[in-house]
Amino acid sequence: KILIAGNLSASPSHTLNTIRGVTGDREQVLIIELTDADAAAIKSDNTVATKTDGSDTFIRLSAGTALDTAFVPSSSINSQLAKQIFPDDVLPSLLSFTLNVNDGILSMTFDDVIDSSTFQPASLIIQSGLSASTQERIALTSSSNTTSLDGRVIDINIGRNDLNELKALTAVASDIDNSYLLMAATAFDDPNG
């Protein structure tokens, strides 16, 4: 069992669920490739792996987590400080979205973790086509918000005024062929800004 924590007390922490790949060399270096789910969980925790010097990242290994070349199990390691962290420097991209005009929910799926608290409603425009006129589009306002936790799927609760305006535009979001989303780069940040 491998646990990643932000402090010596191991709270809060994340236990790695599945290890996708482990490699090592004769220099006593073990490289663990995180699964997407484990990486997303760690990125969502702003108390772990945020400092490049590793001062906010500890690892705890249960006895037998690794085997040496003679197949002797490792002993346990209790709260070893990371020597270096390579921060996430990849900007998230929108993969897809669904829009439920009846319920007023815009659900957005990204390829990386999003910091939901950074949502800027005016950075999202729902429009009728790739290049819509001002009469065929609506920019969300501060009446729209999200209660989603940080993650790859963010649900936007379209505010009452925004939803009424969207419903009044019969040429927008009445079917899949006239439902386009324009998103400015300022709409969200990832947990690392």
Side-chain angles (χ1 to χ4, degrees):
K1 177 169 131 176
I2 301 175
L3 180 124
I4 307 287
N7 57 50
L8 285 171
S9 68
S11 177
S13 66
H14 176 73
T15 300
L16 300 183
N17 294 315
T18 307
I19 298 174
R20 183 170 38 202
V22 177
T23 57
D25 60 24
R26 304 247 180 229
E27 302 281 326
Q28 299 179 348
V29 174
L30 184 66
I31 299 170
I32 301 167
E33 185 179 347
L34 301 175
T35 63
D36 290 342
D38 286 329
I42 292 168
K43 289 177 186 182
S44 295
D45 183 348
N46 63 4
T47 66
V48 177
T50 62
K51 299 178 181 175
T52 57
D53 67 356
S55 63
D56 67 347
T57 307
F58 295 83
I59 190 167
R60 182 179 292 169
L61 304 175
S62 299
T65 299
L67 301 174
D68 70 8
T69 56
F71 301 101
V72 176
S74 63
S75 57
S76 63
I77 297 175
N78 191 20
S79 298
Q80 176 67 43
L81 182 65
K83 290 186 179 180
Q84 185 176 9
I85 297 293
F86 298 95
D88 176 20
D89 60 359
V90 177
L91 297 175
S93 295
L94 180 66
L95 295 175
S96 65
F97 73 93
T98 58
L99 175 61
N100 185 324
V101 179
N102 293 321
D103 295 336
I105 302 292
L106 171 63
S107 184
M108 305 170 69
T109 302
F110 294 87
D111 67 349
D112 204 353
V113 175
I114 295 293
D115 180 350
S116 62
S117 70
T118 63
F119 173 52
Q120 299 294 318
S123 296
L124 294 180
I125 297 173
I126 301 168
Q127 58 187 34
S128 64
L130 289 175
S131 58
S133 71
T134 56
Q135 295 87 9
E136 300 170 318
R137 62 193 296 173
I138 173 178
L140 298 184
T141 67
S142 60
S143 71
S144 295
N145 63 57
T146 184
T147 55
S148 294
L149 299 175
D150 293 355
R152 293 178 186 218
V153 178
I154 303 292
D155 292 333
I156 305 299
N157 305 306
I158 300 174
R160 179 177 291 166
N161 292 341
D162 292 346
L163 190 57
N164 288 339
E165 188 176 337
L166 180 61
K167 288 178 179 181
L169 298 173
T170 57
V172 180
S174 61
D175 65 45
I176 198 164
D177 293 328
N178 65 8
S179 301
Y180 288 78
L181 182 64
L182 179 64
M183 183 178 75
T186 56
F188 297 96
D189 278 335
D190 70 3
N192 293 321

